[in-house]
Amino acid sequence: MQIRGFYEFGHTLDVLDTESHGFAPADVAHVDRFWTFGDMHDSSAGFVLQLRDGRHAYAEFQHWHGFEQDEDFRIDVEMLDGDALPTAPLRDPIPGDEPWPPGGWSGETAHLDRLLLQGDAG
């Protein structure tokens, strides 16, 4: 089973809300594409989301692993023009961003869409 991006997307869905980001997790129909990066200190990911109303959004997740300090994470969202892919991170710097996105885009998203189905059931 594919797990790449699962942790980051789960956190992204937990934080998304209409007031802050323009849509809620229930508005997400499908993950079109994603990328992830992680090391001992940071993890980050980006998700191109197809919304139920036909719009597309890009959600970017950044997580700093705390070890002996508080952990911190941030979600940034940008509405996209059609289904165009973002060409740069929403905020600089993102760990491993040379070239961007780190690891390239993946269209293998069925495992991420399963998180959306779990949200519909609960």
Side-chain angles (χ1 to χ4, degrees):
M1 177 180 173
Q2 168 79 273
I3 61 167
R4 201 170 143 239
F6 201 81
Y7 167 84
E8 296 85 357
F9 191 51
H11 272 298
T12 299
L13 291 175
D14 282 342
V15 173
L16 280 177
D17 71 80
T18 304
E19 186 176 316
S20 299
H21 303 107
F23 60 94
D27 299 324
V28 180
H30 171 68
V31 179
D32 286 344
R33 298 189 147 309
F34 77 103
W35 62 267
T36 62
F37 172 82
D39 63 18
M40 290 285 294
H41 308 288
D42 308 285
S43 59
S44 55
F47 305 94
V48 174
L49 308 172
Q50 180 183 356
L51 304 182
R52 294 187 191 281
D53 65 7
R55 297 179 297 158
H56 284 82
Y58 173 63
E60 194 169 85
F61 170 88
Q62 257 191 304
H63 180 209
W64 299 270
H65 305 277
F67 298 111
E68 294 182 10
Q69 65 224 28
D70 290 335
E71 294 184 71
D72 192 14
F73 65 91
R74 179 178 71 220
I75 307 292
D76 294 304
V77 172
E78 173 182 78
M79 298 311 291
L80 298 175
D81 184 19
D83 59 357
L85 293 176
T87 58
L90 296 180
R91 294 192 184 221
D92 289 323
I94 287 195
D97 66 348
E98 300 289 336
W100 192 85
W105 291 101
S106 173
E108 296 179 22
T109 62
H111 65 295
L112 301 176
D113 285 341
R114 281 190 205 103
L115 284 174
L116 297 172
L117 296 174
Q118 288 176 352
D120 287 344

